[in-house]
Amino acid sequence: MRADKKFEKYVKLLNPIDDLMFCKMAEHREFCEEILRVILEDDELTVLDAIPQWQGKNLTGRSVILDAKCVTGDGRQINIEVQKADDDNHLKRVRYNAAVLTTNISETGKKFEFIPDVCIVFISKFDIFNGGLPLYHIDKVVRETGQVIEDGLTEIFVNTVNYDGSKPARLMKLFTENDAYNSDEFPVTSELKSRLKSSEGGSRTMNEILEKLISDEKRESEKRGAKNEKLKIAKTMLEEGLSAELIMRYTGLSKDAVAALQV
């Protein structure tokens, strides 16, 4: 069966900077290992496990879905994020991801000394610091002495817009340019990208993911619409002087939802 024609052109425009393609590529441990060796400048780095779309929760129950969580041979836990839109405070996003990841991998009763090191690699289609560089390392420094503090958290920001000829910058070309491949330097990234963009099986896989995303979004949209309709009815009932208990019974809304309308 040929890939669905209605998505074929869109699939060919996808690149590793896109969540859809990156998370599919991140299912392959070797892909994560290849890009982390480049970004962390460690040719001996090994990735033992790679989990795309890893979900963690904080103490209040708010969840976060990381694009990929990797465990390295030296015990580090690494979150790789890809981001196209400069539409939020991504420094705080990185801080939050690191906190949730740390909380979820910390074992009860163990001393803080044994909490695994955490590294956040943030790959973006924009220069978050406007410094003209393709890669930035964040250091924690004592203001008064200039001493660099090592507390087990590493933050590295990589962008695709500043090209200086370095190996990370060369890798980033594969992340954004449709026809950019480099099988000599980045064989795994190049092969997976080519397979998903060009092969029949790869296109079909991406089409299936797109179909599911569209179906899920449609279902969520219908749920939001139904809830909004219930809220409108509940508000009218409140204005008519009906009790909260009666409104809850007829709309199915929670006590908190009805209370919020009364504010």
Side-chain angles (χ1 to χ4, degrees):
M1 181 190 297
R2 285 194 54 78
D4 194 326
K5 289 287 186 183
K6 66 184 175 183
F7 293 136
E8 194 170 349
K9 289 183 180 179
Y10 179 68
V11 169
K12 290 185 182 301
L13 294 175
L14 290 174
N15 285 295
I17 194 65
D18 295 289
D19 280 332
L20 200 65
M21 180 172 282
F22 177 84
C23 291
K24 197 64 190 171
M25 294 173 74
E27 292 178 1
H28 300 264
R29 178 185 58 79
E30 299 83 1
F31 165 68
C32 294
E33 186 172 275
E34 182 171 87
I35 65 174
L36 287 175
R37 284 183 173 186
V38 174
I39 293 169
L40 273 63
E41 300 178 286
D42 181 0
D43 291 336
E44 303 302 316
L45 180 146
T46 57
V47 172
L48 303 180
D49 193 20
I51 306 171
Q53 297 284 279
W54 179 85
Q55 183 170 333
K57 289 187 176 181
N58 66 15
L59 295 175
T60 65
R62 177 177 176 175
S63 64
V64 62
I65 297 177
L66 308 183
D67 289 336
K69 181 178 88 75
C70 304
V71 181
T72 62
D74 58 6
R76 282 178 291 177
Q77 302 262 346
I78 302 179
N79 164 218
I80 311 172
E81 289 291 308
V82 293
Q83 181 67 34
K84 290 176 68 175
D86 187 7
D87 59 357
D88 204 345
N89 187 325
H90 294 296
L91 288 173
K92 287 190 175 182
R93 175 180 178 166
V94 166
R95 170 185 150 197
Y96 181 78
N97 286 1
V100 173
L101 181 54
T102 302
T103 301
N104 279 265
I105 62 175
S106 302
E107 295 182 23
T108 303
K110 279 203 172 183
K111 290 186 175 181
F112 288 111
E113 176 186 356
F114 301 109
I115 292 176
D117 289 351
V118 165
C119 174
I120 309 294
V121 173
F122 189 83
I123 301 172
S124 63
K125 207 173 180 181
F126 51 90
D127 182 353
I128 195 169
F129 301 110
N130 296 315
L133 300 174
L135 189 147
Y136 302 92
H137 296 82
I138 306 301
D139 291 327
K140 184 178 288 186
V141 179
V142 177
R143 184 183 304 172
E144 289 76 12
T145 66
Q147 179 186 1
V148 177
I149 302 299
E150 299 290 347
D151 60 2
L153 173 62
T154 302
E155 299 173 65
I156 301 175
F157 292 81
V158 192
N159 67 77
T160 65
V161 294
N162 297 319
Y163 185 80
D164 64 357
S166 64
K167 195 169 184 179
R170 295 197 298 273
L171 173 62
M172 288 301 101
K173 289 178 75 70
L174 273 66
F175 267 64
T176 55
E177 297 183 12
N178 283 329
D179 300 319
Y181 299 93
N182 189 333
S183 297
D184 293 331
E185 270 195 305
F186 316 115
V188 178
T189 303
S190 296
E191 194 275 329
L192 286 173
K193 176 182 172 181
S194 176
R195 188 196 308 173
L196 290 171
K197 286 172 71 75
S198 305
S199 75
E200 180 62 28
S203 294
R204 187 160 54 247
T205 297
M206 299 304 289
N207 279 331
E208 288 169 358
I209 294 171
L210 280 167
E211 287 276 20
K212 185 177 184 304
L213 281 175
I214 290 169
S215 175
D216 289 349
E217 178 56 33
K218 184 178 178 182
R219 193 157 46 245
E220 285 301 313
S221 179
E222 288 171 351
K223 280 184 187 176
R224 288 193 295 270
K227 185 176 181 182
N228 288 338
E229 188 60 32
K230 286 181 180 180
L231 289 170
K232 283 192 341 190
I233 292 170
K235 192 169 183 181
T236 300
M237 293 172 79
L238 278 171
E239 290 169 353
E240 294 293 330
L242 298 175
S243 70
E245 289 75 15
L246 192 64
I247 294 169
M248 288 161 55
R249 185 189 308 167
Y250 281 99
T251 63
L253 291 171
S254 68
K255 184 177 180 180
D256 288 343
V258 175
L261 293 173
Q262 294 174 304
V263 176

